[in-house]
Amino acid sequence: MTRVGTAGIERAPENLFQDPVLRAEWDERAVAAPGGDMHQGSAFAADRMRRGIRVVPLYVDGAPLLVTVRRLPILGLGIASISRGPAVKADVAPEELVQIPELLRRVAHWLRREEGVVELRVDPWAQESASLRDAWSAAGFSPCEESFFSRHSMWIRASAVRGQSEEALFAQVNATKRNEVSAARRAGVSVRRLEAPDVVLLANVADIVNETAVRRGFATIDPARTLPTWSDLMRAGQMEVWLAELPDGTLAAVETALRHGERLTSHHAGSRDLGDRAPVGVVPLLRWTLINQARIEGRIADLGGADIAGHRQAPEPGDRMYGLYTFKRAFGASWVEMSGAHRIEVNPLGARLRGALRRVAGGAR
């Protein structure tokens, strides 16, 4: 490892993701530990590398931090990104939270010296506050477009309460959803967990996710790129797949869940359009099963966001995402305001040149 001055920033060993012991140690600290996130782990790093993106794993003040860098051919002029890092505990103290922007500013300037980066974009999973906004500004960061579909999230913290019973948690679900879950059970719908990769089943899951995305007007996933990453995540114990099946074995709905930090996070979901064959409550039963699993593990049930580009506040009646928002609220989820994505230019001239070249080239990053 090479330490740069007294900045407390050093590169991880070059064989980090090839050595199973080093890889497991990294994932334990970057993904499984409190505040950890899948996007800081080895499976996500492998996904980026398959896409031709440079991966730069660092230790910053002794803690792991995964950085990716996209460079222009010949000229370089790289833009670095840090997804969901550094680790931010769900109940982090305010005085710790406001230190994050300065830490990332140090990383940005290190990346300029060592990697030729002109700009750093970050989106740590940090809850919004006035003091954090001030800290971003003081460190030289400004808000930028989100790299994820949603900026905010919806959490059920009650699932993480020690000793919480299934009955008590289920009582917090609204009456309509409780009735739908019960109806699906009476109809013989079963939910099972796929914990190890199964190529055929995962391909079916991706098909259902995409069918649903098309029906709802959302972006689809690319199975050729996504399935290897799902398999890596499952082998690392960071993802599982839940399958809802009808009594005749028909796969009716699916949901993938990420296990990281203090959370069990809903990731991808979808359902078949089965018409009259679909019993009432298939999707609610599937979602409740994930929430109850979070309770069993003592984790926050993170149901994901309900905001989209151009509309980052909580949806209101008539908004496109209002239905999804009310669906999640029906299970007891609360809106969690996040700080969102920020950027800092460490070489303003280089950043402007890169932007001009991107526009000429048609917007390639």
Side-chain angles (χ1 to χ4, degrees):
M1 299 181 187
T2 303
R3 182 174 292 277
V4 178
T6 58
I9 301 173
E10 55 190 15
R11 294 182 188 272
E14 291 186 4
N15 66 335
L16 170 66
F17 296 128
Q18 289 73 47
D19 184 302
V21 174
L22 293 177
R23 184 173 64 242
E25 290 176 348
W26 176 279
D27 282 346
E28 179 62 30
R29 298 182 64 197
V31 180
D37 193 280
M38 175 276 286
H39 297 90
Q40 284 290 300
S42 62
F44 183 74
D47 175 273
R48 300 296 94 174
M49 288 186 280
R50 281 193 292 269
R51 297 170 190 247
I53 300 170
R54 177 168 170 74
V55 172
V56 184
L58 302 175
Y59 288 103
V60 182
D61 299 336
L65 187 68
L66 185 68
V67 182
T68 60
V69 178
R70 291 179 171 89
R71 292 172 171 154
L72 294 180
I74 303 176
L75 293 176
L77 301 175
I79 287 188
S81 299
I82 301 174
S83 296
R84 301 300 191 233
V88 181
K89 296 178 182 178
D91 294 311
V92 63
E95 58 269 23
E96 294 181 36
L97 191 62
V98 297
Q99 295 175 17
I100 292 172
E102 175 58 23
L103 179 149
L104 291 172
R105 185 196 67 81
R106 290 166 47 210
V107 172
H109 286 278
W110 185 94
L111 289 166
R112 178 188 179 183
R113 292 194 303 269
E114 298 295 316
E115 293 285 332
V117 161
V118 300
E119 178 183 320
L120 172 63
R121 299 180 183 181
V122 301
D123 53 359
W125 207 221
Q127 294 185 47
E128 180 70 297
S129 70
S131 57
L132 182 56
R133 285 195 298 272
D134 291 342
W136 282 122
S137 179
F141 284 87
S142 58
C144 64
E145 69 274 14
E146 301 295 325
S147 57
F148 290 89
F149 183 80
S150 291
R151 170 179 171 177
H152 309 296
S153 195
M154 298 186 70
W155 288 2
I156 302 175
R157 284 183 172 270
S159 59
V161 174
R162 180 175 296 182
Q164 179 78 274
S165 69
E166 180 176 359
E167 294 74 15
L169 189 60
F170 193 54
Q172 298 182 33
V173 178
N174 78 10
T176 299
K177 287 293 175 279
R178 292 201 305 270
N179 290 337
E180 290 174 352
V181 168
S182 299
R185 286 171 170 162
R186 289 194 300 271
V189 177
S190 60
V191 176
R192 64 185 177 96
R193 179 168 56 180
L194 179 66
E195 298 182 69
D198 180 308
V199 175
V200 174
L201 266 178
L202 288 181
N204 289 339
V205 169
D207 286 344
I208 294 174
V209 168
N210 280 339
E211 286 176 19
T212 306
V214 170
R215 286 202 309 270
R216 297 181 178 176
F218 296 148
T220 58
I221 59 175
D222 178 358
R225 287 184 167 183
T226 300
L227 295 187
T229 302
W230 282 0
S231 295
D232 286 347
L233 287 167
M234 294 180 78
R235 281 189 286 267
Q238 297 168 21
M239 191 186 100
E240 58 197 25
V241 180
W242 293 88
L243 311 170
E245 296 169 321
L246 305 187
D248 63 2
T250 299
L251 183 56
V254 299
E255 185 154 9
T256 68
L258 301 174
R259 180 178 288 101
H260 47 191
E262 304 95 326
R263 297 171 289 133
L264 188 64
T265 300
S266 174
H267 193 214
H268 291 102
S271 58
R272 294 278 193 199
D273 185 0
L274 298 175
D276 294 339
R277 290 184 58 208
V280 171
V282 172
V283 172
L285 174 60
L286 184 60
R287 177 55 57 88
W288 165 250
T289 304
L290 185 148
I291 293 168
N292 191 48
Q293 182 62 33
R295 178 197 65 82
I296 292 169
E297 298 181 20
R299 296 178 182 273
I300 294 169
D302 178 0
L303 304 191
D307 60 285
I308 55 176
H311 198 114
R312 293 300 182 190
Q313 62 268 37
E316 298 179 351
D319 291 341
R320 178 185 176 191
M321 302 298 285
Y322 186 69
L324 181 62
Y325 172 70
T326 56
F327 178 78
K328 294 178 180 182
R329 279 183 58 86
F331 286 94
S334 298
W335 182 265
V336 181
E337 193 91 1
M338 293 299 184
S339 180
H342 288 75
R343 63 188 286 270
I344 184 172
E345 291 182 354
V346 287
N347 180 348
L349 180 60
R352 287 196 294 273
L353 176 58
R354 179 188 170 92
L357 292 171
R358 283 183 60 204
R359 288 190 291 274
V360 170
R365 288 192 72 177

